Amino acid sequence: MAQDDHSGTELAAADSSLAAQEFAGSTGTAVIPHDAFENPGFEPHRPRVTDEDAGREKRAQRTVYTLFYLSILGSVWAIAAYMLFPIESNDVGAVRLNNMFIGLGVTLALLGIGFGAVHWGKTLMTSAESIDVRHPIGGSEATQQGAVEVFRQADEESGFSRRTVIRNSLIGALLVFPLPAVVLFRGLAPQDQIPVELLSHTMWAKGTRLALDPSGVPIRAADVTIGSAFHVIPEGLVDLEHGRLEEKAKAAVLLMRLDPSELNEAPDRESWSYDGIVAYSKICTHVGCPVALYEQHTHHLLCPCHQSQFDVANHCEVIFGPAKRPLPQLPIAVDDEGYLIAQSDFTEPVGPSFWERH
Amino acid sequence: MSTATTRSTTPAKRSFTAGASEYINDRTGLAVAIKGLGRKAFPDHWSFLLGEVALFSFIVVLVSGTFLTFFFQASMAEVHYEGSYVPLKGVEMSVAMASTLDISFDIRGGLFVRQMHHWAALLFVAAIGLHMLRVFFTGAFRKPREINWVFGFTLFILAMAEGFTGYSLPDDLLSGNGLRIIDGMVKGIPLIGTWTSFLIFGGEFPGTDIVGRLYTLHILLLPALVVALIAVHVGYVFIHKHTQFAGPGREPTNSVGPPILPIYAAKAGGFLFLIWGVIALIAALFTINPIWNYGPYDPSPVSAGTQPDWYIGFADGALRLIPPGWEFVWLDRTWSFNILVPLIAIGIFIVLVLIYPFIEAWIKGDKREHHIADRPRNAPTRTAIGAAGVTFYAGLWAAASSDILATHFSLTMEGVIHALQATVIVGPFIAYFITKRVCLALQKKDREIVLHGYESGRIVKLPGGEFIEVHQPLDEYERWRLVSYESYQPLMIRPNARGKITVGQRVRAGFSRWFFEDRIAPVSKGELESGHDGHH
Amino acid sequence: MTRTKRRAGRRHPLATVALLALGLVFTGGAYAALSSGTVAQAEIDPNSQQTIEEGKKLFQANCATCHGLEAQGTANGPSLIGVGAASVDFQVGTGRMPMQMQGPQAQEKPVQFTDDQVKQLAYYVASLGPGPDIPADHLVNGGGDAANGAELFRINCAMCHNVAGAGGALTEGKFAPPLTDVSGVHIYEAMVTGPQNMPVFNDLNITPEDKRDVITYLKYLQDNRSPGGFELGSLGPVAEGLFIWIFGLGAIVAITVWITAKSN
């Protein structure tokens, strides 16, 4: 083992010189004691009972082949279970039995082989250990020199370091050639759309009726009793041919009716509600989970994903959790027939924050 | 190339196996490899098998996953479900969801394979985690294994990516909300976030592309990378030969253990089947990811207790722990620190873990190869740093289940979040301190045992009337296990050749002092001899 | 580390087989032991003067302290005029009322009254003002469309009660209870009355037929064990992760110890 002159000193010196870095075996700040114990060498080999007792050896042998036979039994059982436990009817109980019995058969087949093989190795195969000699990973000095020589020769024959213009132009070409591939990835999303514009608008527009999720039946103001929570989509969403989920992901709204006396409304938003009925975006301003856990007495809205809490009585301001912005409010009114309608789209982008939002 | 098989002089007596192996060897030259590797020693310790757990559960993932690809259809086209599960009949859902339900309810044994695949995936990542902890705490990442640590850690990240992409494929409500969270996180990244999300989802969230794209990653790109890296990682285990714990006869220059053929092969081969069997047993008896309960993805509903699979939990937990208000509009742009801080914190944590071997090597300046695994107590600062890291990770991880902790322990979720915020910030320091003290105490105990032997419990009265307890001295083999470790000293700063002390030197000396100032050296021969004089 | 694992070598391999057999019997048995409880309908005439008189006596003895002698409400409890028979049947019939102590929310506990007494109380309160009635049997017997019910459940209920009805956390220590053993009548009554912090789902939001479908779905979940095996509490990935770490990896670590232990 390599020792250097740091050993024995109270504090090891920084290997400051170049020589120390070149010395591959530097011990760094390791302390090499002068009178360390010597390795006592291997302990005497201890035979196993199966090495000494022929009866035990026989028994181990029996155990091993029994396990292998059990494995065969398990495989056969799994095949039988495939046929004995069909799942043709609309019965989940049948699926449960099919899953369990095929599974247990396969389990037996696998564990039988596994326990058998390990038991064989542990009790019947020779228990002597072998000893490998380790060699330095870097190889011998001669090998390393040989590798260096190969590179040197290759460099000389190609002129890689000599012909710098060729070399540098090659490096340049290699750096630029992947760029077209990067550009190609623009095609991952439609060419004619800009995300910020899409994120800024939803399906809600002046006069769009509020409808029940999922049926799409419009809601009358009179239907919404105090303490109610209605899960709302814009009327017409269910009839969309394309982009239904994308529109729903922005337009989902929760409609609640509070006692108007409990609602603290800012003066400029008093006209956004109707007789204690308020509509807020259901999409969390944190990372976009649906916020729909409404507590009718505390007026708290909770997001189940990251526990942001919003106070419906105070324009859905954040009272706990990682979200920053209040849930956007949908201004609502009532049309001639008594149905709830939107006064306009949301006045700000709904859902999670994004860079261009301001 | 010479063949190593013995050519029999009497062809009539040659067995079929001998003939077959000669035939193969003459065309492949495998004998060279078998002769070289067949009797290699593989050191034996239970914790050395944890990497194999990861490898074998990956094999189970690969085999079961291949079966699933024959039935799964990665399409987001809408269909009305017409399969066997009554509560979803007629419900509109994507083809991906419908085909996953068909695997579960209409293909015999399909649910079993699906559950095996998912359970094996959870086990795969967990086994990598435990294996990494073993490697860290025994210092098995030291020279020459630093780069293999990096490969291994990269595999851990790839395994998480594999897991997350797979979790998202069925297009059910739970995984859909998971993707929604990913979308929200990506959008929170400055400058590129909005466009990145737009490109990932092929337009607005959720779009109709994401499942197909994740499928390509899940069954093509990521598995190819994992398989390639596993090959390199395991290849280096062969090149480096496995580390071993200190013990009689075990030297830094040898490797002692059962030979690969036959014992190790029997045990490891059997172990593959045992792991597979355990996974099969779990899959036969325990439900995992019941997508039939979750239903198809729809942006409006969500389930209480929406969580990612365990290995993504730490990231989800990090999001939950951010206090309100960490988002600002500045320069007309939105800065979402409620998303950036978790991302950056996790990023720093990952980088630190990734480069830890190089940091420790730089501090020690030790350029020798290390093949003897450390006992964790003999590297107290490293062990304490590891404990701090585990506490940090565990705090984030627990935060991902804050709601479930609240309901199951009758706590408030606000209380749970506040307690975990404290845990993540203060916990690592407490864990560091306690672990370091425990390690030092254990080292002292080892010294006591070497110097004075074990307490035998036998009380003897001396002629003078004094009572003493007889201590049983150690035999030389046991003593060797306790004294054969290396200790390091703090670095003392010395000027370099030009008479200057560089900043790098000062920093290194600072780290070195932090690492090694509480140093307990192993007992030396001299100490034992002089120690015997004054004691019993 | 000086490990001596003599014991591991002695484990009989057949133990595994026995364990497997045990597992088989156990799961099979558990599967067979499906039970479905039905709610007994009391034979109480809702309109008879006698019922209301009995209910009034019970009310004044057990409820009036908080809700007032005429159910007009006090500082400690809300007015019950107009809450309807459904509300009383739910609150008293699930043991939430009478309340044991003030807390974040009233806890379920053993029911304090007989079925007849609960009905008498309910009809007494119903006589004070119009409110939701106890639902008719055909709405709560689970004879509806489970698929429609499941969809409505996911949209209106799952965010609090979990998709599998396993319950979930609310703010400040409140929680949405599990629905795994709640009767159809009580589920219906909870929807129409909105007990505690639960919002009201009136008949114009979720029609009585839709409510019947939701109950049908929940009954389906109650009556059919998960096809995949034990549900681990239906808590999702948290339970699955803990299971694989503790039992999956635990079992495998035990196996690694056995494999590497020296055979005796």
Side-chain angles (χ1 to χ4, degrees):
Chain A
M1 183 170 296
Q3 291 204 4
D4 72 0
D5 55 2
H6 300 323
S7 59
T9 56
E10 191 48 45
L11 288 176
D15 32 22
S16 48
S17 64
L18 266 175
Q21 281 164 20
E22 276 169 9
F23 181 44
S26 163
T27 57
T29 60
V31 182
I32 312 293
H34 293 302
D35 60 344
F37 286 94
E38 286 102 34
N39 195 328
F42 290 99
E43 283 175 285
H45 182 69
R46 185 168 53 89
R48 299 164 298 187
V49 283
T50 41
D51 295 331
E52 292 170 326
D53 180 346
R56 297 293 283 273
E57 189 189 340
K58 268 219 142 58
R59 215 177 80 189
Q61 204 175 321
R62 218 161 42 228
T63 309
V64 172
Y65 69 65
T66 309
L67 281 165
F68 289 154
Y69 281 132
L70 273 175
S71 166
I72 296 174
L73 197 69
S75 298
V76 172
W77 168 248
I79 296 167
Y82 187 91
M83 290 174 260
L84 291 173
F85 298 95
I87 50 172
E88 283 141 16
S89 65
N90 293 338
D91 176 12
V92 289
V95 180
R96 187 178 169 91
L97 291 179
N98 181 272
N99 179 61
M100 185 174 74
F101 285 118
I102 291 182
L104 289 176
V106 171
T107 304
L108 184 59
L110 293 164
L111 291 182
I113 295 176
F115 280 116
V118 175
H119 196 61
W120 184 3
K122 276 170 65 93
T123 56
L124 296 172
M125 293 183 187
T126 323
S127 64
E129 293 187 314
S130 25
I131 303 160
D132 264 9
V133 179
R134 294 184 194 270
H135 304 287
I137 302 300
S140 69
E141 196 72 11
T143 315
Q144 293 175 25
Q145 287 303 324
V148 170
E149 177 58 22
V150 167
F151 277 119
R152 195 200 56 73
Q153 200 179 338
D155 183 31
E156 192 181 295
E157 289 171 7
S158 64
F160 192 76
S161 6
R162 211 156 13 93
R163 306 181 208 276
T164 49
V165 181
I166 295 185
R167 184 194 63 202
N168 294 349
S169 56
L170 171 64
I171 292 173
L174 287 174
L175 285 176
V176 175
F177 105 96
L179 292 182
V182 176
V183 175
L184 288 180
F185 277 105
R186 171 62 184 88
L188 281 172
Q191 300 279 359
D192 53 349
Q193 293 178 357
I194 304 290
V196 179
E197 284 170 14
L198 295 169
L199 289 169
S200 307
H201 302 289
T202 74
M203 212 183 137
W204 293 106
K206 185 175 165 58
T208 309
R209 280 180 178 166
L210 279 69
L212 274 174
D213 184 14
S215 63
V217 176
I219 305 163
R220 285 175 198 273
D223 299 349
V224 188
T225 48
I226 287 183
S228 286
F230 282 60
H231 295 262
V232 169
I233 49 176
E235 192 184 27
L237 179 85
V238 287
D239 303 322
L240 282 185
E241 285 286 316
H242 297 290
R244 198 151 28 85
L245 288 184
E246 291 74 25
E247 288 302 338
K248 194 173 183 181
K250 293 188 292 186
V253 155
L254 192 65
L255 185 73
M256 294 149 285
R257 185 168 200 165
L258 285 66
D259 189 332
S261 66
E262 292 183 280
L263 214 50
N264 306 317
E265 294 184 292
D268 59 325
R269 281 165 73 168
E270 266 168 6
S271 63
W272 289 18
S273 65
Y274 178 81
D275 199 15
I277 304 178
V278 288
Y280 283 95
S281 165
K282 224 169 124 175
I283 311 302
C284 189
T285 56
H286 177 223
V287 285
C289 279
V291 188
L293 287 75
Y294 175 58
E295 298 175 0
Q296 66 144 316
H297 291 301
T298 60
H299 312 308
H300 291 174
L301 259 175
L302 169 70
C303 176
C305 294
H306 303 103
Q307 276 86 49
S308 293
Q309 296 171 16
F310 304 86
D311 187 357
V312 179
N314 283 311
H315 290 310
C316 279
E317 272 171 15
V318 178
I319 47 176
F320 185 83
K324 161 75 185 275
R325 288 178 296 108
L327 295 170
Q329 185 175 6
L330 182 72
I332 53 168
V334 171
D335 68 8
D336 304 342
E337 295 170 67
Y339 287 106
L340 287 165
I341 52 167
Q343 292 182 24
S344 70
D345 193 357
F346 287 101
T347 55
E348 55 179 320
V350 298
S353 299
F354 51 91
W355 175 244
E356 296 85 348
R357 191 185 196 288
H358 50 85
Chain B
M1 282 259 166
S2 67
T3 52
T5 44
T6 328
R7 288 183 190 277
S8 174
T9 44
T10 47
K13 277 171 74 181
R14 279 174 55 198
S15 69
F16 173 74
T17 26
S21 46
E22 187 188 310
Y23 180 91
I24 290 168
N25 182 53
D26 285 349
R27 282 149 190 85
T28 59
L30 270 180
V32 180
I34 290 169
K35 189 161 173 293
L37 300 176
R39 296 299 286 187
K40 252 179 134 71
F42 195 93
D44 222 8
H45 187 265
W46 70 266
S47 69
F48 295 171
L49 295 184
L50 293 172
E52 274 169 38
V53 179
L55 175 65
F56 295 155
S57 37
F58 180 68
I59 291 174
V60 179
V61 171
L62 216 54
V63 172
S64 54
T66 306
F67 179 85
L68 294 176
T69 60
F70 297 144
F71 302 96
F72 178 72
Q73 292 173 310
S75 158
M76 290 173 90
E78 294 281 305
V79 289
H80 289 273
Y81 175 70
E82 294 304 339
S84 284
Y85 188 64
V86 176
L88 287 173
K89 269 189 196 266
V91 173
E92 213 175 38
M93 60 179 66
S94 67
V95 171
M97 173 81 182
S99 61
T100 314
L101 286 169
D102 288 344
I103 291 172
S104 307
F105 292 107
D106 291 287
I107 292 163
R108 292 186 209 181
L111 181 60
F112 173 62
V113 179
R114 219 196 105 218
Q115 298 206 116
M116 203 153 68
H117 186 67
H118 203 139
W119 280 119
L122 293 195
L123 183 67
F124 175 45
V125 196
I128 297 179
L130 205 58
H131 173 58
M132 268 176 34
L133 289 176
R134 196 282 296 173
V135 170
F136 182 88
F137 285 115
T138 60
F141 53 75
R142 289 171 298 165
K143 189 183 174 186
R145 297 181 177 78
E146 302 99 318
I147 295 173
N148 221 21
W149 166 268
V150 173
F151 288 141
F153 191 72
T154 311
L155 274 170
F156 184 52
I157 307 276
L158 284 174
M160 291 195 281
E162 269 287 36
F164 187 81
T165 50
Y167 163 92
S168 304
L169 289 182
D171 201 20
D172 58 301
L173 185 60
L174 184 69
S175 71
N177 276 310
L179 282 174
R180 182 51 150 156
I181 293 168
I182 294 290
D183 168 58
M185 287 178 72
V186 171
K187 281 185 179 143
I189 299 171
L191 206 63
I192 57 165
T194 314
W195 275 96
T196 309
S197 152
F198 189 65
L199 293 175
I200 290 174
F201 290 93
E204 280 191 283
F205 177 86
T208 51
D209 296 331
I210 188 68
V211 166
R213 290 178 182 174
L214 292 177
Y215 191 54
T216 304
L217 294 178
H218 184 73
I219 69 161
L220 183 75
L221 187 62
L222 291 170
L225 288 175
V226 170
V227 169
L229 265 182
I230 285 180
V232 173
H233 191 71
V234 175
Y236 272 108
V237 174
F238 274 98
I239 290 172
H240 293 148
K241 299 192 172 87
H242 208 282
T243 51
Q244 56 194 353
F245 278 108
R250 277 129 180 98
E251 300 274 3
T253 51
N254 69 12
S255 159
V256 181
I260 287 196
L261 286 174
I263 297 192
Y264 179 76
K267 284 183 173 181
F271 194 36
L272 163 65
F273 286 92
L274 289 175
I275 286 169
W276 200 336
V278 169
I279 293 169
L281 183 64
I282 294 174
L285 298 180
F286 296 92
T287 306
I288 188 165
N289 197 24
I291 50 155
W292 51 89
N293 284 343
Y294 302 141
Y297 180 62
D298 175 336
S300 167
V302 65
S303 171
T306 289
Q307 267 100 2
D309 272 348
W310 78 261
Y311 42 83
I312 306 289
F314 74 107
D316 193 52
L319 282 178
R320 292 184 188 209
L321 290 182
I322 300 298
W326 286 22
E327 186 187 298
F328 309 95
V329 175
W330 183 52
L331 301 176
D332 215 23
R333 289 286 180 263
T334 298
W335 299 78
S336 303
F337 286 102
N338 48 1
I339 290 158
L340 283 176
V341 169
L343 286 180
I344 292 168
I346 289 168
I348 292 173
F349 180 72
I350 286 175
V351 169
L352 282 179
V353 176
L354 190 71
I355 64 170
Y356 182 82
F358 305 100
I359 300 176
E360 196 184 298
W362 172 65
I363 293 169
K364 284 179 172 170
D366 188 347
K367 303 280 195 295
R368 295 166 298 167
E369 289 184 12
H370 290 274
H371 299 292
I372 301 285
D374 278 329
R375 295 171 80 207
R377 70 184 60 171
N378 289 333
T381 308
R382 177 206 296 147
T383 303
I385 289 173
V390 168
T391 311
F392 175 75
Y393 181 91
L396 296 183
W397 191 21
S401 52
S402 54
D403 48 339
I404 289 176
L405 289 175
T407 48
H408 283 70
F409 296 98
S410 300
L411 304 164
T412 67
M413 68 164 62
E414 294 83 357
V416 172
I417 296 270
H418 289 315
L420 287 171
Q421 284 168 338
T423 305
V424 164
I425 294 165
V426 185
F429 293 98
I430 297 172
Y432 174 87
F433 182 79
I434 293 175
T435 310
K436 183 143 184 189
R437 289 298 123 191
V438 168
C439 285
L440 291 172
L442 287 171
Q443 279 189 297
K444 282 181 187 156
K445 194 192 99 192
D446 284 350
R447 279 183 64 89
E448 283 296 305
I449 291 172
V450 172
L451 288 172
H452 309 309
Y454 291 111
E455 291 168 2
S456 65
R458 203 156 60 88
I459 309 290
V460 174
K461 188 177 180 185
L462 294 183
E466 184 192 359
F467 285 93
I468 59 153
E469 184 184 7
V470 178
H471 281 226
Q472 176 102 38
L474 293 176
D475 68 32
E476 55 178 344
Y477 303 120
E478 280 174 274
R479 189 204 298 138
W480 175 246
R481 288 194 179 90
L482 297 183
V483 300
S484 59
Y485 66 90
E486 289 200 317
S487 68
Y488 291 81
Q489 290 176 334
L491 176 78
M492 201 173 74
I493 309 174
R494 293 219 180 119
N496 65 10
R498 283 188 290 163
K500 285 198 174 143
I501 294 173
T502 60
V503 179
Q505 281 288 343
R506 283 183 200 282
V507 175
R508 193 183 146 200
F511 273 113
S512 178
R513 212 174 316 117
W514 167 37
F515 261 70
F516 301 121
E517 70 187 350
D518 301 314
R519 182 174 75 88
I520 291 179
V523 178
S524 65
K525 265 196 294 197
E527 275 180 299
L528 183 62
E529 276 152 22
S530 61
H532 264 303
D533 295 338
H535 297 79
H536 305 281
Chain C
M1 260 181 283
T2 51
R3 292 175 307 102
T4 45
K5 292 279 185 282
R6 281 172 228 100
R7 202 166 294 186
R10 228 176 274 138
R11 184 188 299 144
H12 203 280
L14 282 181
T16 323
V17 181
L19 205 69
L20 278 178
L22 205 72
L24 265 168
V25 171
F26 183 57
T27 32
Y31 178 78
L34 289 172
S35 62
S36 54
T38 47
V39 185
Q41 290 297 311
E43 299 300 322
I44 293 272
D45 179 5
N47 297 316
S48 84
Q49 198 55 38
Q50 192 203 349
T51 305
I52 292 170
E53 281 303 317
E54 290 293 328
K56 185 169 186 173
K57 276 186 218 156
L58 282 167
F59 185 89
Q60 289 178 341
N62 294 289
C63 322
T65 336
C66 299
H67 293 289
L69 274 176
E70 301 295 331
Q72 75 279 22
T74 71
N76 291 327
S79 161
L80 300 182
I81 297 167
V83 299
S87 185
V88 178
D89 187 53
F90 175 83
Q91 298 284 0
V92 182
T94 60
R96 286 180 168 80
M97 291 289 154
M99 212 169 162
Q100 213 157 29
M101 55 177 160
Q102 296 289 340
Q105 71 189 61
Q107 303 275 348
E108 247 181 298
K109 57 183 182 296
V111 182
Q112 305 293 306
F113 301 97
T114 65
D115 284 353
D116 286 1
Q117 288 172 322
V118 174
K119 295 288 177 295
Q120 286 161 351
L121 268 172
Y123 292 125
Y124 163 66
V125 171
S127 74
L128 302 172
D133 201 359
I134 296 171
D137 188 46
H138 76 276
L139 292 173
V140 297
N141 61 8
D145 174 0
N148 182 44
E151 187 165 20
L152 288 167
F153 183 81
R154 282 194 294 274
I155 287 176
N156 292 285
C157 323
M159 62 278 188
C160 298
H161 290 286
N162 166 303
V163 275
L170 297 174
T171 68
E172 288 156 2
K174 299 185 288 295
F175 60 91
L179 304 177
T180 38
D181 53 0
V182 183
S183 72
V185 180
H186 289 148
I187 293 168
Y188 194 100
E189 289 166 348
M191 286 191 274
V192 288
T193 62
Q196 323 232 17
N197 264 303
M198 176 168 162
V200 177
F201 294 92
N202 63 34
D203 288 352
L204 300 161
N205 186 354
I206 301 178
T207 64
E209 288 68 36
D210 284 343
K211 289 194 175 84
R212 184 192 58 185
D213 293 347
V214 169
I215 290 165
T216 305
Y217 173 60
L218 287 169
K219 278 204 166 305
Y220 184 92
L221 286 183
Q222 289 173 4
D223 295 347
N224 292 285
R225 304 288 309 280
S226 165
F230 295 109
E231 291 99 339
L232 304 173
S234 294
L235 293 175
V238 171
E240 292 158 8
L242 277 181
F243 182 84
I244 202 69
W245 269 94
I246 295 170
F247 295 99
L249 214 48
I252 283 168
V253 165
I255 290 174
T256 64
V257 171
W258 171 67
I259 289 178
T260 50
K262 292 267 182 294
S263 191
N264 52 2

